[in-house]
Amino acid sequence: MTAVLAGCGVTGDSGDVTLRLVAADYGDSSANSSKKYWDALVKAYEKDHPGVTVEVTVHSWNDVDREVREMVDAGEAPDMAQIGAYADYAADDLLYKAGDVLSIPVQADFVPQLADAGEVRGVQYGMPFAASTRLLFYNKTLFDKAGITPPTTWAELAENAEALKEEGVKYPYALPLGPEEAQAETMQWLLSGGGGYTATATGYSLDSPENVQTFTWLKNELVGKDLTGPVEPGKLNRADAFAAFAAGQAGMLNGHPSLMKMAEKKGVKFGMVPMPGVDGPGKVSMGVADWMTAFRQNGHAEQIKEFLNFVYSEENVLAFSREYDLLPVTNSASQVMSAASEDADLQPFLEELPVSELYPVGRTSWATVSAEIKKRIGSAVTAGGSPSGVLGQLQATATTAESGSAG
């Protein structure tokens, strides 16, 4: 991938090292592919580090986790992988601890919520690489036409959806509980209802009274009153919901920063507010992070450490975050963004990050639980669906998966 090879001023037997990194693509076209970001970063790094070559392979998000898993299973783990999960590899003792491959100042610079989410039993293995939070987007033009203002409570959200429906809006509130990313929409609603996926450090709480109440409300007050659009929530994917919003067909939906660009490109005037809760704006937002991992198989801890300290420099974290409309994972870069006028549009998302909750990614059971949520949660809000029944089934699955992973 990188044409720069070691040799500048290095003696023949100096033990040149090649580091292999597998990374995910955050771009939406070849013009802004993550390959360009990594090529530029690696070129700058190799210039000052003769003797070290960094080979980067970039895969789409549809493939990257599987590609890394196949490499690991074949006994050919990369030195580093920038992917969506880390817990399975940590449980199998395949990863370096973050403290082994980062300097103390760099590790201490991570946003606390993100660093905590990277821990397994109090030890950090997952190094946050990119982050985002969610806000409620609303179409200003449609709201003005319906004579309504942004909601702060569930009741107001339902009233707004009713008013939008009367104006003929196709998706008054777009509720994507389809298989693409149902676990995100579900978690955002559970948090706004005072619940969530986990109530304790070790167990899941999917069928808690708060969660059952939340999905009962969704079923009765939104879906049952035909306020979520022509596609049933269990079949509506996030990408389609975003496309509907960008096309001016959705009044409200939960979105992350990339939706701003989509909507702006199509000329949609939108506003953003914190997710409404039962009695007022939700107190906790949903945060999402992607992870950098460092595999132990090939050694190279010192070289990995030098490279990752460079990757996580303020300048590089800012460059990546700005290129892809993501939130920086370090305090230093967050402070710069908070004060910079060029980053003003990300400010509302930055403000949500310190009060956000992330998926329980430190649990090896989470992959199983997340897959089951994607598969089943949409049926909880159908006409004949039972919120308590579906959440109870998911809780049983989660308990089994958790006890299996603990063993």
Side-chain angles (χ1 to χ4, degrees):
M1 296 280 294
T2 47
V4 186
L5 292 171
C8 323
V10 181
T11 56
D13 61 350
S14 64
D16 294 353
V17 167
T18 296
L19 296 177
R20 291 183 303 149
L21 165 64
V22 178
D25 196 351
Y26 289 82
D28 54 15
S29 67
S30 57
N32 70 345
S33 165
S34 293
K35 182 182 180 311
K36 288 193 170 180
Y37 172 82
W38 286 111
D39 283 354
L41 183 143
V42 165
K43 189 176 178 183
Y45 183 77
E46 288 177 339
K47 182 164 163 279
D48 292 333
H49 294 81
V52 177
T53 302
V54 184
E55 293 180 353
V56 183
T57 311
V58 174
H59 294 286
S60 81
W61 270 113
N62 296 330
D63 304 320
V64 69
D65 287 294
R66 177 176 47 78
E67 292 279 351
V68 172
R69 170 51 67 190
E70 288 174 359
M71 292 172 75
V72 172
D73 289 348
E76 299 171 358
D79 295 286
M80 294 162 284
Q82 187 267 298
I83 45 180
Y86 64 84
D88 284 353
Y89 299 126
D92 292 339
D93 201 25
L94 299 176
L95 300 180
Y96 283 114
K97 297 170 186 172
D100 294 336
V101 289
L102 293 173
S103 70
I104 291 170
V106 169
Q107 188 178 3
D109 195 27
F110 286 130
V111 173
Q113 269 82 354
L114 304 179
D116 290 349
E119 292 182 355
V120 175
R121 296 185 179 89
V123 178
Q124 186 180 358
Y125 292 91
M127 295 165 272
F129 184 76
S132 73
T133 53
R134 304 290 163 98
L135 291 168
L136 183 77
F137 281 66
Y138 65 96
N139 182 310
K140 285 185 171 179
T141 306
L142 297 177
F143 265 55
D144 289 346
K145 197 176 166 200
I148 52 178
T149 55
T152 59
T153 65
W154 286 1
E156 289 173 7
L157 186 147
E159 287 166 16
N160 284 357
E162 192 67 60
L164 290 163
K165 182 187 173 188
E166 285 170 16
E167 289 290 335
V169 175
K170 191 173 179 182
Y171 293 90
Y173 177 86
L175 183 67
L177 295 177
E180 179 196 355
E181 207 195 36
Q183 83 285 2
E185 184 73 12
T186 297
M187 183 168 171
Q188 185 66 72
W189 276 99
L190 296 184
L191 291 172
S192 74
Y197 286 142
T198 54
T200 64
T202 53
Y204 286 87
S205 55
L206 283 152
D207 60 350
S208 69
E210 293 87 354
N211 291 350
V212 172
Q213 191 178 356
T214 295
F215 264 78
T216 302
W217 186 90
L218 276 173
K219 180 191 171 188
N220 295 340
E221 302 302 322
L222 283 188
V223 183
K225 293 185 176 174
D226 200 22
L227 300 176
T228 52
V231 180
E232 66 179 77
K235 292 180 178 167
L236 181 66
N237 280 329
R238 184 203 64 186
D240 296 326
F242 277 22
F245 188 81
Q249 298 174 336
M252 298 175 278
L253 84 173
N254 280 313
H256 51 62
S258 70
L259 182 56
M260 294 190 297
K261 242 182 200 167
M262 281 181 69
E264 281 163 3
K265 266 186 194 166
K266 295 288 186 73
V268 172
K269 291 182 178 146
F270 62 89
M272 302 175 297
V273 292
M275 177 69 181
V278 181
D279 303 314
K283 294 178 179 65
V284 183
S285 174
M286 189 190 79
V288 179
D290 302 322
W291 305 97
M292 179 68 78
T293 55
F295 286 87
R296 294 170 50 197
Q297 181 181 326
N298 309 313
H300 300 158
E302 279 309 306
Q303 291 88 352
I304 292 171
K305 184 174 187 174
E306 281 201 14
F307 179 67
L308 288 181
N309 285 341
F310 180 73
V311 167
Y312 283 107
S313 69
E314 183 183 297
E315 177 187 358
N316 288 325
V317 171
L318 278 171
F320 180 83
S321 303
R322 284 170 170 159
E323 177 65 35
Y324 299 108
D325 282 325
L326 291 160
L327 304 183
V329 295
T330 60
N331 292 312
S332 56
S334 294
Q335 285 162 8
V336 172
M337 261 200 174
S338 294
S341 57
E342 68 180 284
D343 303 310
D345 56 349
L346 285 172
Q347 194 63 39
F349 295 97
L350 278 167
E351 288 169 6
E352 291 290 311
L353 193 56
V355 292
S356 65
E357 187 171 312
L358 282 79
Y359 300 132
V361 286
R363 304 177 185 206
T364 54
S365 56
W366 171 239
T368 301
V369 175
S370 176
E372 283 300 304
I373 292 168
K374 291 178 182 182
K375 201 186 295 180
R376 297 191 197 182
I377 197 65
S379 63
V381 295
T382 56
S386 162
S388 61
V390 172
L391 289 167
Q393 289 168 354
L394 287 169
Q395 178 64 24
T397 299
T399 302
T400 303
E402 185 69 8
S403 60
S405 65

